[in-house]
């Protein structure tokens, strides 16, 4: 029987654990790139379709709404069919609306495809699931956070890259109307390529693929039956719902910022589209190290203290995020806004990493269900933020209110503390690893 990896050998592709690690963050990067490819082009798309502020708000809400449902479903599907097949299927199906949005001719058709594109956001759950089954407790927080963080960086790269791709299309003689459409074809093609690579070079867990293992009568650790049973086990665990709230307050804010940052900098500080793309992109690029840092610090805190040290760390990160977000809302110059965004962004990404450093310990019998429900919380937070912005109609005021909500929701992290028996059980497992 193969075992979970107890270390992360970054420059190795020789083991199934490290192949899963690298390919899962690469797949997530492609999905995140595709998910938010429209956002930095919205100032141009807004002009072409003559969009009102309410219509833009609807588009931002649509971008994250369907992800809630798909994230709830995809975790149990991982338990049932394995992360390899789940990721391949999501990449193939998700590429369809990504390519379709480039052909949109009206606000309604654009909104429809933008809604469907949101499904690729469920890739995050598969990423966290796959690294959780491949790595041992002593490094699982770091593995989860690094894979998710590097994948999340696609949201930063896309902010600066898509305007450049569009500009390159225009320089080649394509009209601006066709330029943004041609640019949006790029992420769709990348998803199709990644689907083949993921299916060809990964396996579900250290011992092999779930279908083969079940056929051989080998019992699996997470979600023994998979599907609905995994979801039910997770749904009755109160810690799942507490972390659902905390993740809504950190990842929900993160994807809300991805959706509104470029147009916020253009409208509020009168930046050009490339300038706004660079400013907004700096927030997403924090994911290259900040989410991984959150998971790493969580692992170290647990090694020096206990499982509940991870909980305390998450609480502190969320307090920092809330305060930083309120400062961002009050920034009256582009320099102060970027500085405040980077500060609260650091805490936001670290809080995301610290949340999923806790996920593998909530209920090992239903890893997919736990990962799916908590992941869906992120999108519930983003949708709620979108409706808040639509209702208030003022971005700065919305950001201030969100900052207060984040600070208050940090209390949910403290309420998720584990019992002494669970803490001791984890300490024994960590020592064995």
């Amino acid at each position: 029987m193969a075992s979970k990896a107890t270390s992360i050998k970054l420059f190795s592709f020789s083991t199934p654990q490290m192949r899963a690690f690298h390919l899962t963050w690469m797949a997530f990067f492609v999905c995140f790139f595709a998910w938010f490819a429209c956002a930095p082009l919205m100032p141009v798309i807004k002009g072409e379709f003559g969009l009102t502020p309410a219509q833009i708000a609807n588009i931002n809400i649509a971008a994250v709404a369907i992800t809630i449902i798909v994230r709830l479903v995809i975790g149990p599907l991982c338990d049932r069919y394995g992360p390899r097949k789940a990721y391949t299927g999501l990449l193939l199906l998700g590429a369809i609306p990504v390519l379709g949005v480039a052909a949109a001719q009206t606000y309604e058709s654009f909104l429809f495809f933008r809604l469907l594109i949101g499904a690729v956001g469920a890739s995050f759950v598969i990423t966290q699931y796959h690294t959780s089954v491949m790595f041992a407790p002593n490094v699982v927080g770091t593995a989860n956070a690094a894979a998710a963080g590097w994948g999340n960086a696609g949201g930063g790269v896309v902010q600066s890259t898509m305007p450049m791709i569009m500009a390159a299309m225009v320089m080649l003689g394509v009209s601006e109307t066709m330029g943004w459409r041609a640019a949006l074809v790029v992420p769709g093609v990348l998803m199709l390529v990644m689907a083949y690579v993921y299916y060809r070079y990964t396996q579900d867990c250290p011992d092999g693929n779930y279908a083969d293992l079940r056929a051989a009568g080998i019992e699996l650790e997470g979600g023994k039956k998979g599907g609905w049973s995994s979801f039910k086990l997770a749904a009755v665990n109160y810690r799942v719902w507490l972390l659902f709230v905390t993740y809504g307050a950190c990842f929900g804010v993160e994807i809300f910022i991805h959706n509104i940052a470029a147009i916020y900098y253009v409208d509020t500080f009168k930046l050009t589209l490339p300038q706004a793309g660079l400013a907004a992109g700096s927030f997403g690029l924090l994911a290259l190290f900040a989410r991984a840092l959150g998971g790493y610090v969580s692992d170290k805190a647990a090694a020096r203290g206990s499982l509940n040290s991870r909980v305390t760390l998450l609480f502190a990160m969320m307090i920092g995020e809330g305060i930083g977000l309120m400062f961002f809302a009050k920034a009256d110059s582009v320099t102060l806004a970027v500085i405040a965004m980077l500060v609260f962004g650091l805490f936001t990404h670290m809080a995301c990493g610290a949340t999923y450093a806790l996920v593998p310990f909530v209920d090992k019998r239903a890893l997919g269900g736990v990962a799916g429900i908590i992941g869906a919380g992120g999108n519930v937070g983003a949708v709620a933020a979108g409706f808040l912005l639509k209702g208030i109609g003022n971005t700065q005021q919305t950001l201030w209110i969100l900052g207060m909500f984040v600070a208050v929701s940090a209390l949910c992290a403290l309420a998720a503390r584990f019992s002494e028996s669970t803490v001791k059980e984890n300490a024994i497992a960590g020592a064995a690893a």
Side-chain angles (χ1 to χ4, degrees):
M1 292 280 289
S3 58
K4 294 184 177 182
T6 56
S7 62
I8 301 172
K9 299 176 181 177
L10 269 186
F11 301 103
S12 171
F13 281 82
S14 61
T15 65
Q17 292 92 334
M18 289 312 302
R19 283 197 298 276
F21 175 84
H22 284 298
L23 291 179
T24 201
W25 78 253
M26 290 177 190
F28 187 35
F29 183 99
V30 169
C31 286
F32 218 95
F33 190 99
W35 192 8
F36 293 104
C38 294
L41 303 180
M42 280 308 295
V44 176
I45 296 168
K46 172 187 176 183
E48 176 163 341
F49 291 128
L51 301 177
T52 66
Q55 288 174 325
I56 293 173
N58 289 338
I59 289 169
N60 289 339
I61 292 167
V64 293
I66 201 171
T67 320
I68 298 168
I69 299 169
V70 184
R71 283 192 174 191
L72 289 172
V73 172
I74 205 74
L77 286 179
C78 286
D79 278 333
R80 182 67 186 89
Y81 298 104
R84 173 172 161 265
K85 289 182 179 177
Y87 228 142
T88 302
L90 185 65
L91 285 161
L92 290 174
L93 292 174
I96 297 172
V98 173
L99 294 169
V101 76
Q105 299 297 320
T106 64
Y107 159 69
E108 289 78 14
S109 59
F110 187 88
L111 180 66
F112 174 72
F113 284 118
R114 196 72 186 95
L115 175 69
L116 295 184
I117 287 174
V120 305
S123 54
F124 166 75
V125 174
I126 313 174
T127 294
Q128 299 296 268
Y129 184 100
H130 213 166
T131 47
S132 290
V133 298
M134 287 292 190
F135 290 88
N138 65 313
V139 293
V140 71
T142 304
N144 279 358
W150 296 349
N152 269 7
V157 172
V158 75
Q159 296 284 352
S160 54
T161 303
M162 289 304 289
M164 284 190 256
I165 294 175
M166 178 183 157
M169 297 291 181
V170 173
M171 286 177 64
L172 291 172
V174 176
S175 67
E176 190 175 80
T177 297
M178 286 302 298
W180 69 263
R181 298 176 189 278
L184 286 172
V185 171
V186 175
V189 172
L190 288 175
M191 288 180 71
L192 294 175
V193 172
M194 198 67 225
Y196 168 78
V197 173
Y198 208 87
Y199 189 82
R200 175 69 177 80
Y201 294 105
T202 66
Q203 63 187 53
D204 292 328
C205 66
D207 295 314
N209 292 316
Y210 283 4
D212 298 331
L213 295 173
R214 286 194 176 102
I218 298 173
E219 189 174 275
L220 304 176
E221 179 187 52
K224 295 178 174 58
K225 293 181 180 179
W228 181 238
S229 62
S230 171
F231 181 83
K232 286 192 294 183
L233 275 173
V236 297
N237 190 318
Y238 74 92
R239 287 189 185 88
V240 170
W241 297 105
L242 289 170
L243 294 176
F244 175 96
V245 174
T246 65
Y247 202 59
C250 54
F251 187 66
V253 167
E254 179 185 332
I255 56 180
F256 177 72
I257 295 297
H258 280 307
N259 269 326
I260 61 98
I263 200 165
Y264 176 71
Y265 279 111
V266 169
D267 291 346
T268 306
F269 301 108
K270 310 307 177 188
L271 299 187
T272 64
L273 189 60
Q275 289 171 336
L278 288 172
S282 64
F283 175 82
L285 289 176
L286 286 170
L288 282 171
F289 71 92
R291 187 185 270 248
L293 181 62
Y296 175 78
V297 174
S298 182
D299 282 343
K300 292 301 179 184
R304 294 179 181 178
S306 70
L307 180 57
N308 281 327
S309 300
R310 296 182 186 269
V311 175
T312 305
L313 175 71
L314 176 58
F315 169 77
M317 292 299 99
M318 294 191 66
I319 291 293
E321 178 195 345
I323 294 172
L325 187 52
M326 287 187 276
F327 273 104
F328 177 61
K330 294 298 182 181
D332 56 4
S333 72
V334 67
T335 301
L336 287 176
V338 171
I339 292 172
M341 183 182 70
L342 293 177
V343 171
F344 96 76
L346 177 66
F347 283 109
T348 302
H349 286 88
M350 287 186 69
C352 290
T355 298
Y356 266 81
L358 281 166
V359 164
F361 306 100
V362 174
D363 191 337
K364 295 179 181 179
R365 301 168 301 168
L367 178 59
V370 172
I373 292 174
I374 294 174
N379 290 82
V380 170
V383 169
F387 276 114
L388 181 64
L389 175 59
K390 186 178 180 180
I392 293 174
N394 182 291
T395 304
Q396 288 180 304
Q397 192 175 349
T398 300
L399 291 168
W400 174 264
I401 294 171
L402 284 176
M404 291 191 291
F405 169 77
V406 170
V408 172
S409 66
L411 296 173
C412 289
L414 288 182
R417 291 177 67 84
F418 293 87
S419 65
E420 285 301 317
S421 61
T422 303
V423 170
K424 290 177 182 177
E425 179 186 332
N426 179 69
I428 293 170

